[in-house]
């Protein structure tokens, strides 16, 4: 009798145990230090796990150099949440499919105090401007403002995240900061020296190995994200009001922003400039810390 009761208990426990689906990784740009990124994205990962029945694991990089290296080498990740230039690269080179995107377009602003901003873009030549490192979109767009290599500001890539750059303006550690529009709008007391052209909002894309049913479940969950009041802070941190469906056509051509980045190689048959050669020598300590990326001037 006791044996049969014991077997029954084991069988019941097996069926009563929660059923876990597959594990999926989500790569995000290194806009935060890894430990902070884990905190920022944890509510989103928990939400996706609950909504889809699968477990989502955040994949971070220590800096943009490592992120760009991994992207070029096709390092394995199932999902990615990125700006338009990286999204287009994954679509065109790695077979990713955009699922949903931030409803708002992306635009970057060069912010400064009013007295500094009065002198315009040229007034910052030779002065300190902070940005996240290349090939972040902000850094690349900043390079478009200053194409003359001998008439540039002192570009510093020392901020741990986009907000840090603005705080450095307030503490007078820098004269200006290049930040995305969702950060710029939080600081109305600063003036935009210049604003970039618009890009389609950041996208969540899926790799070709992700099953169609999982992609559908993730898409549906993200489209309903704004309906969950408990995740309001997640949307605020991401600078989004909600997510909307994304298409390949919306990102086509955005990869061109990467053309001058160190290590970029044009796709065979494309009309892009010749590839920038890789350095044979290993990165020194400074390059490893700051990202080891160089941007070539166009003009």
């Amino acid at each position: 009798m006791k044996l049969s009761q014991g077997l029954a208990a084991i069988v019941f426990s097996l069926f009563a145990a929660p059923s876990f689906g597959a594990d999926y990784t989500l790569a995000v740009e290194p806009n935060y230090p890894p430990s902070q990124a884990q905190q920022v994205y944890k509510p989103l990962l928990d939400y996706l796990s609950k909504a889809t029945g699968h477990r989502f694991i955040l994949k971070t990089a220590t800096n943009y150099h490592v992120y760009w290296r991994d992207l070029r080498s096709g390092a394995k990740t199932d999902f990615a949440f990125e700006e338009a230039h990286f999204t287009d690269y994954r679509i065109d080179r790695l077979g990713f499919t955009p699922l949903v995107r931030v409803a708002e377009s992306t635009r970057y602003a060069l912010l400064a105090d009013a007295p500094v901003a009065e002198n315009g873009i040229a007034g910052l030549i030779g002065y300190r401007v902070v940005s996240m490192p290349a090939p972040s979109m902000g850094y690349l767009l900043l390079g478009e403002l200053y194409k003359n290599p001998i008439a540039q500001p002192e570009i510093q890539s020392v901020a741990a995240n986009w907000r840090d750059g603005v705080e450095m303006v307030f503490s007078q550690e820098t004269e200006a900061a290049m930040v995305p529009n969702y950060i710029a709008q939080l600081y109305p007391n600063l003036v935009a020296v210049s604003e970039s052209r618009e890009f389609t909002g950041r996208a969540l894309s899926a790799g070709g190995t992700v099953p169609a049913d999982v992609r559908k479940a993730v898409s549906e969950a993200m489209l309903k994200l704004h309906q969950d009041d408990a995740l309001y802070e997640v949307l605020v941190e991401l600078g989004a009001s909600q997510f909307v469906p994304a298409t390949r056509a919306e990102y086509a051509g955005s990869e061109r922003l990467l053309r001058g980045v160190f290590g970029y190689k044009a796709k065979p048959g494309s009309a892009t400039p010749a590839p920038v050669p890789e350095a044979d020598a290993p990165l020194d300590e400074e390059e490893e810390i700051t990202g080891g990326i160089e941007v070539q001037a166009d003009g």
Side-chain angles (χ1 to χ4, degrees):
M1 180 69 176
K2 290 184 178 180
L3 179 60
S4 62
Q5 289 178 338
L7 289 173
I10 293 173
V11 171
F12 176 79
S13 65
L14 289 174
F15 282 100
S19 176
F20 294 103
D23 287 352
Y24 292 100
T25 51
L26 169 61
V28 297
E29 293 185 45
N31 291 331
Y32 303 94
S35 59
Q36 186 179 359
Q38 292 289 345
Q39 297 176 355
V40 169
Y41 287 98
K42 186 179 185 304
L44 175 61
L45 300 181
D46 291 344
Y47 167 77
L48 286 174
S49 297
K50 182 179 178 181
T52 67
H54 301 286
R55 188 165 71 126
F56 289 81
I57 303 165
L58 190 69
K59 184 176 181 180
T60 62
T62 53
N63 54 52
Y64 270 96
H65 160 64
V66 175
Y67 194 81
W68 175 230
R69 180 200 65 193
D70 289 348
L71 180 56
R72 291 183 352 247
S73 66
K76 178 72 170 69
T77 188
D78 300 301
F79 295 90
F81 178 59
E82 304 163 307
E83 291 282 19
H85 61 323
F86 291 140
T87 298
D88 188 31
Y89 188 96
R90 286 193 191 271
I91 293 171
D92 196 42
R93 308 295 185 97
L94 303 176
F96 273 61
T97 300
L99 303 178
V100 297
R101 64 173 176 82
V102 171
E104 293 79 11
S105 298
T106 292
R107 184 192 292 270
Y108 278 75
L110 183 58
L111 297 183
D113 284 322
V116 174
E118 287 179 359
N119 298 318
I121 296 173
L124 286 169
I125 294 175
Y127 290 90
R128 300 166 297 179
V129 174
V130 70
S131 171
M132 296 294 285
S136 70
M137 182 173 281
Y139 191 103
L140 299 181
L141 292 172
L142 183 59
E144 289 187 349
L145 293 177
Y146 299 96
K147 294 183 179 181
N148 187 338
I150 61 173
Q152 294 187 343
E154 180 188 337
I155 301 176
Q156 301 178 339
S157 301
V158 294
N161 54 57
W162 292 114
R163 292 192 187 191
D164 276 0
V166 180
E167 295 303 324
M168 290 175 68
V169 174
F170 290 133
S171 62
Q172 298 184 344
E173 297 175 71
T174 184
E175 278 68 51
M178 191 71 165
V179 296
N181 53 350
Y182 64 88
I183 297 295
Q185 65 188 10
L186 300 176
Y187 299 92
N189 47 336
L190 293 179
V191 178
V193 180
S194 176
E195 290 188 317
S196 75
R197 64 188 187 280
E198 285 190 348
F199 290 82
T200 305
R202 289 156 291 154
L204 177 66
S205 59
T209 58
V210 178
D213 62 322
V214 176
R215 278 184 268 172
K216 180 180 179 182
V218 169
S219 296
E220 291 176 347
M222 293 299 293
L223 292 174
K224 295 187 293 186
L225 179 63
H226 63 286
Q227 298 174 7
D228 191 333
D229 293 338
L231 292 172
Y232 173 76
E233 291 299 329
V234 175
L235 287 170
V236 170
E237 196 67 49
L238 297 179
S241 61
Q242 68 179 88
F243 284 83
V244 297
T247 66
R248 290 172 178 265
E250 292 176 298
Y251 295 92
S254 297
E255 178 192 318
R256 287 196 293 267
L257 193 61
L258 293 164
R259 288 179 302 180
V261 176
F262 183 84
Y264 177 84
K265 294 181 180 180
K267 194 174 182 181
S270 66
T272 52
V276 181
E278 291 277 11
D280 294 327
L283 295 171
D284 60 28
E285 183 178 352
E286 177 67 14
E287 286 177 316
E288 192 64 49
I289 293 173
T290 61
I293 306 297
E294 298 175 5
V295 177
Q296 308 298 322
D298 293 331

